[in-house]
């Protein structure tokens, strides 16, 4: 039998239990970082060229940051308790994120008009 880098041992390392939740936590942290940068950029734009829509976008993005932080902490806490916990993050977190990002995008679009 031929041994290769993509053999069973390599697949076992990639599909090891506990890695998927860890990757999920890392993805949430990257999302939190990106949202922080977006909020900081929006806040900087609001101070440079004050408008109600940019201020509203900054406030909405701040709320999105809070929701992402809650989601990240919830996922990390579950991972520390049990690495193979299959329960997903509550759907309300995702719904709040989508609504918040949509509202912030609408506010930024209004400021561009």
């Amino acid at each position: 039998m031929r041994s290769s880098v993509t053999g069973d041992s390599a697949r076992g390392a990639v599909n090891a239990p506990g890695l998927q939740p860890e990757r999920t936590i890392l993805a949430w942290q990257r999302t939190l970082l990106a949202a922080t940068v977006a909020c900081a950029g929006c806040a900087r734009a609001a101070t440079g060229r004050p408008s109600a829509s940019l201020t509203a976008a900054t406030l909405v993005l701040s709320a999105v940051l809070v929701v992402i932080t809650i989601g990240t902490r919830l996922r990390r806490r579950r991972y520390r308790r049990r690495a193979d916990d299959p329960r997903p993050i509550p759907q309300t977190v995702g719904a709040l994120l989508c609504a918040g990002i949509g509202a912030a995008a609408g506010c930024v679009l209004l400021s561009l008009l």
Side-chain angles (χ1 to χ4, degrees):
M1 189 168 225
R2 218 170 102 194
S3 175
S4 69
V5 176
T6 59
D8 290 336
S9 62
R11 273 189 236 124
V14 173
N15 295 328
L19 286 182
Q20 182 60 42
E22 187 175 354
R23 286 190 293 257
T24 302
I25 292 169
L26 292 172
W28 276 93
Q29 289 173 345
R30 285 189 303 271
T31 304
L32 181 61
L33 178 64
T36 303
V37 170
C39 186
C42 200
R44 184 169 184 206
T47 58
R49 188 178 61 161
S51 71
S53 60
L54 282 177
T55 304
T58 304
L59 293 174
V60 169
L61 283 174
S62 298
V64 166
L65 284 175
V66 169
V67 172
I68 293 173
T69 303
I70 289 169
T72 303
R73 294 193 71 169
L74 178 65
R75 195 68 191 148
R76 189 179 304 141
R77 187 177 338 132
R78 285 184 185 174
Y79 176 69
R80 285 185 182 157
R81 284 188 194 151
R82 187 173 147 216
D84 60 344
D85 188 356
R87 295 180 298 163
I89 298 293
Q91 290 182 352
T92 53
V93 173
L96 287 172
L97 283 177
C98 289
I101 291 170
C107 291
V108 169
L109 286 175
L110 285 176
S111 71
L112 294 176
L113 296 178

